[in-house]
Amino acid sequence: SHWPDAKVNNLIQLFKQISYHRNNVVYSQGEFAKSIYIVKSGQFEVIRKARYTVKGEETNHRMLLG
């Protein structure tokens, strides 16, 4: 489907451009999300912390997603 230009322009007005430096944490797991992020350029990592039990021992694990 096609969005009319007026609707697209209205949506664009809601966006703001923010730049982040290397190693900045933008969002931490478990925080309430107040925004969505669209990456215009550059790279990012998504890391999810997980807890699981192996042979009765609880372990923390970091997974790199993407």
Side-chain angles (χ1 to χ4, degrees):
S1 71
H2 177 69
W3 279 28
D5 289 342
K7 286 199 180 236
V8 172
N9 288 332
N10 287 340
L11 184 61
I12 289 171
Q13 297 302 314
L14 299 174
F15 287 89
K16 65 180 177 180
Q17 186 169 324
I18 301 173
S19 297
Y20 291 97
H21 295 285
R22 183 183 191 102
N23 296 323
N24 273 80
V25 175
V26 176
Y27 174 82
S28 293
Q29 183 176 328
E31 288 181 348
F32 179 75
K34 298 180 276 183
S35 302
I36 63 168
Y37 297 91
I38 298 172
V39 179
K40 183 176 178 181
S41 65
Q43 298 177 354
F44 67 95
E45 288 183 340
V46 176
I47 299 172
R48 181 178 188 269
K49 294 180 184 178
R51 286 181 104 149
Y52 58 93
T53 303
V54 176
K55 297 182 183 177
E57 264 187 58
E58 198 169 275
T59 306
N60 288 321
H61 183 70
R62 290 177 56 170
M63 296 183 294
L64 179 61
L65 307 174

